[in-house]
Amino acid sequence: MTVFFPLDTARLRLQVDEKRKSKTTHMVLLEIIKEEGLLAPYRGWFPVISSLCCSNFVYFYTFNSLKAVWVKGQHSTTGKDLVVGFVAGVVNVLLTTPLWVVNTRLKLQGAKFRNEDIVPTNYKGIIDAFHQIIRDEGILALWNGTFPSLLLVFNPAIQFMFYEGLKRQLLKKRMKLSSLDVFIIGAIAKAIATTATYPMQTVQSILRFGRHRLNPENRTLGSLRNVLYLLHQRVKRFGIMGLYKGLEAKLLQTVLTAALMFLVYEKLTAATFTIMGLKSARKH
């Protein structure tokens, strides 16, 4: 997350600031550095990393607890894993959305926006952001963007479906898959799932940020009406491609993060086996 954090910054700026020209990712990052300083692409790093840790903890704790209760020593099936994963995703969204709302705002604080309709924020940190949002906008504002977030719980299911499909196709041609095959299939499946759900991610970011001067009746809790209104506005003003601003940065981040994790995992596994091998050799 830290290595490719600037890509996430570029994506968020393109999603939220609709007046910003949709340039290539590196051009957007160069603009941000030029206007706001060298460290600007890393603004909001700590809140995002903290939220990610909490989010992963909630998700995996819920996932494993539910699985232990439901499976009870039997062999788990793919269907059961998907259902448990979906429920864990919903619990995660409901519990951690306030953290993501706060870190979206902290990440965009001090940004030079092209859009004059954006109201700037002035938070001193995570706790102050919580305090100001509750005081000025009410406690429900912390759950802005919940509806698109719940829809995005389907993202891993779409990814899993394409991953299994591609794996079956490849296994028809060869006996077993190499590590590289698994990585490439995973990257393609993730890219398809990300592209399919990207318009929802754009709406989610706008609602979490919540600093656009929208019509008052459309400022509710990311309801279906609000989501449709935002999608309609985007398409009306910028065409269908307006929903995909920042997709290049998102796909780059997704694939490069997966590649880095895969590489680190392979190296760690190899190192662990080497150490274990040395230990067992010493014993003998």
Side-chain angles (χ1 to χ4, degrees):
M1 192 65 187
T2 302
V3 173
F4 301 114
F5 195 79
L7 292 172
D8 202 51
T9 301
R11 168 200 60 88
L12 193 58
R13 292 294 180 91
L14 285 165
Q15 282 180 331
V16 170
D17 189 2
E18 56 227 36
K19 298 266 176 82
R20 189 180 273 276
K21 294 273 187 292
S22 191
K23 295 177 180 160
T24 55
T25 305
H26 74 277
M27 287 297 286
V28 172
L29 283 171
L30 284 172
E31 266 179 15
I32 292 169
I33 291 167
K34 200 168 134 188
E35 290 171 11
E36 301 167 36
L38 196 60
L39 290 176
Y42 276 95
R43 190 185 287 125
W45 171 84
F46 182 72
V48 171
I49 296 295
S50 313
S51 303
L52 202 63
C53 291
C54 293
S55 200
N56 280 338
F57 173 77
V58 170
Y59 179 83
F60 288 109
Y61 187 83
T62 310
F63 183 88
N64 289 314
S65 304
L66 286 171
K67 202 170 166 182
V69 170
W70 194 16
V71 177
K72 275 192 186 133
Q74 301 162 13
H75 185 68
S76 183
T77 62
T78 305
K80 280 183 180 176
D81 280 352
L82 273 176
V83 172
V84 172
F86 183 78
V87 176
V90 170
V91 171
N92 183 25
V93 165
L94 296 175
L95 290 179
T96 63
T97 290
L99 284 172
W100 291 108
V101 166
V102 165
N103 79 47
T104 299
R105 295 190 183 198
L106 287 169
K107 205 171 168 184
L108 291 164
Q109 186 163 281
K112 300 264 192 294
F113 291 115
R114 308 286 188 269
N115 188 353
E116 307 80 39
D117 289 342
I118 291 173
V119 187
T121 58
N122 188 24
Y123 306 132
K124 293 181 185 74
I126 299 174
I127 306 297
D128 185 51
F130 272 110
H131 174 69
Q132 282 196 44
I133 292 168
I134 293 167
R135 187 191 65 200
D136 301 338
E137 300 167 51
I139 196 157
L140 284 182
L142 290 171
W143 276 271
N144 276 350
T146 299
F147 187 75
S149 300
L150 288 172
L151 292 179
L152 285 168
V153 171
F154 285 106
N155 188 307
I158 297 167
Q159 182 189 339
F160 191 74
M161 191 175 74
F162 279 102
Y163 176 80
E164 286 297 318
L166 289 164
K167 195 167 87 176
R168 270 197 301 275
Q169 291 303 315
L170 264 182
L171 284 170
K172 283 179 187 170
K173 296 178 182 137
R174 59 189 78 170
M175 287 299 287
K176 70 191 251 295
L177 302 179
S178 68
S179 299
L180 185 65
D181 290 334
V182 171
F183 169 69
I184 291 168
I185 293 170
I188 293 168
K190 182 75 178 161
I192 293 168
T194 301
T195 307
T197 57
Y198 193 76
M200 272 301 127
Q201 292 183 38
T202 300
V203 172
Q204 180 195 50
S205 295
I206 295 167
L207 288 171
R208 279 175 176 174
F209 184 46
R211 307 301 293 176
H212 295 75
R213 291 189 181 94
L214 283 177
N215 307 345
E217 71 270 14
N218 287 309
R219 280 298 305 276
T220 50
L221 215 161
S223 61
L224 177 62
R225 193 165 132 232
N226 204 346
V227 169
L228 293 173
Y229 170 79
L230 281 168
L231 288 172
H232 177 67
Q233 286 297 97
R234 268 283 159 114
V235 173
K236 201 165 90 179
R237 291 168 68 183
F238 305 102
I240 201 82
M241 290 317 287
L243 298 174
Y244 287 92
K245 269 180 80 180
L247 177 65
E248 181 198 44
K250 180 69 183 173
L251 288 176
L252 269 174
Q253 185 203 9
T254 301
V255 175
L256 290 173
T257 302
L260 184 68
M261 281 172 75
F262 200 76
L263 186 73
V264 172
Y265 175 78
E266 290 280 310
K267 296 285 178 201
L268 282 174
T269 312
T272 308
F273 280 124
T274 308
I275 292 162
M276 284 165 73
L278 288 171
K279 277 184 181 170
S280 61
R282 275 181 194 152
K283 277 177 191 168
H284 296 310

